Amino acid sequence: ALRSIGKLSFEQASSYFSYIIMIGVVLVILYAIQIWYRDWFGESKYIYRLLLLPGGRAKIFFAKWTSLALVIISFIGLQWVVIQLSYVIFNWLIKDDYRESSSLGLSMTLKQLYTMSLVDLLIFIVLSLFIVSFLFMLVLLERSYRNAKGMLFIVLEVAFLLLVTIGSMYVIEKLDIFLSQEISAIMMAIFVLYFVYMIWKSLRLLKWKISV
């Protein structure tokens, strides 16, 4: 068996973690939508109490936004703890003669996620919060306009995001006058500007369009 198949590595044994990550991503996306709609639906209509609280409505938005940030960070930390414990169990169950290496080897997906670099971790969290903010904006658009008009605005926002992303890449590629560092800086600037736009748009909808 060792000659035909080879020794077992932790990278092979931990490949299923990628599917757990996908499940976690789906759960975060569903929670980002449910955290708003749960206040509208139900017997208590809790959203009306929130909207009537003294102070700015921006507190409601950032309270939900912060809770999603904590969920994402907690999920990453929990996943890393589970990987470390799984590595200990792997070394305990599999004899040295049957293990390919004693080092903590991860699959390609996990290596990209768990680089143990603070910069990479912050980039991953920011990208996750970008998606959360985009979902928040779509939910608030639907709640502000409702029915067909709300769906139309959602389609327009999705189309606008695709247009900005694909259009920017197309223009940069056609011009072919920028260095790689300059291209990265331009895309980062577009990313930051759209991120700010989503937050501003969501706060504006929550303050002026959603009524009690």
Side-chain angles (χ1 to χ4, degrees), residues 28-29 32-33 35-36 61 64-66 68-69 72 125-139 195 198-199 202:
V28 169
I29 291 174
I33 298 173
I35 199 173
W36 284 102
F61 176 87
K64 296 179 182 294
W65 194 82
T66 304
L68 262 297
I72 294 170
I125 294 174
V126 169
L127 288 174
S128 302
L129 292 176
F130 179 88
I131 298 173
V132 168
S133 301
F134 185 70
L135 291 174
F136 276 16
M137 183 179 65
L138 296 185
V139 171
F195 206 156
M198 288 190 299
I199 301 294
S202 298

Side-chain angles (χ1 to χ4, degrees), residues 69-89:
L70 292 176
V71 168
I72 294 170
I73 295 172
S74 300
F75 174 74
I76 296 174
L78 180 62
Q79 180 81 16
W80 181 244
V81 170
V82 172
I83 289 176
Q84 296 291 338
L85 291 176
S86 299
Y87 179 64
V88 173
I89 296 174

Side-chain angles (χ1 to χ4, degrees), residues 13-189:
S14 64
S15 59
Y16 72 95
F17 278 109
S18 302
Y19 300 102
I20 298 178
I21 291 176
M22 294 303 300
I23 295 174
V25 170
V26 172
L27 291 177
V28 169
I29 291 174
L30 293 176
Y31 183 57
I33 298 173
Q34 187 262 352
I35 199 173
W36 284 102
Y37 280 108
R38 71 183 181 186
D39 295 337
W40 263 282
F41 298 104
E43 297 179 359
S44 61
K45 302 288 185 181
Y46 186 66
I47 188 63
Y48 301 121
R49 300 184 191 178
L50 293 177
L51 296 177
L52 290 172
L53 288 175
R57 293 183 177 182
K59 295 179 182 179
I60 302 173
F61 176 87
F62 286 110
K64 296 179 182 294
W65 194 82
T66 304
S67 66
L68 262 297
L70 292 176
V71 168
I72 294 170
I73 295 172
S74 300
F75 174 74
I76 296 174
L78 180 62
Q79 180 81 16
W80 181 244
V81 170
V82 172
I83 289 176
Q84 296 291 338
L85 291 176
S86 299
Y87 179 64
V88 173
I89 296 174
F90 174 80
N91 288 332
W92 176 58
L93 291 177
I94 308 300
K95 295 182 179 180
D96 295 340
D97 296 337
Y98 304 145
R99 290 199 309 264
E100 183 176 339
S101 175
S102 59
S103 61
L104 179 58
L106 298 176
S107 63
M108 187 60 63
T109 304
L110 295 178
K111 285 179 181 177
Q112 294 175 356
L113 180 58
Y114 298 104
T115 60
M116 297 304 293
S117 170
L118 182 60
V119 176
D120 292 340
L121 181 61
L122 289 176
I123 291 174
F124 179 78
I125 294 174
V126 169
L127 288 174
S128 302
L129 292 176
F130 179 88
I131 298 173
V132 168
S133 301
F134 185 70
L135 291 174
F136 276 16
M137 183 179 65
L138 296 185
V139 171
L140 291 173
L141 278 171
E142 191 277 330
R143 290 286 89 188
S144 298
Y145 298 100
R146 310 291 179 94
N147 302 327
K149 191 175 181 181
M151 294 304 299
L152 176 61
F153 277 106
I154 289 175
V155 172
L156 290 176
E157 284 293 341
V158 174
F160 177 68
L161 175 61
L162 295 176
L163 179 63
V164 170
T165 305
I166 299 175
S168 302
M169 296 175 62
Y170 177 79
V171 171
I172 291 174
E173 183 179 352
K174 283 297 181 181
L175 290 177
D176 197 21
I177 59 175
F178 299 105
L179 300 174
S180 58
Q181 295 86 349
E182 295 173 337
I183 294 175
S184 300
I186 293 172
M187 298 304 296
M188 181 64 67

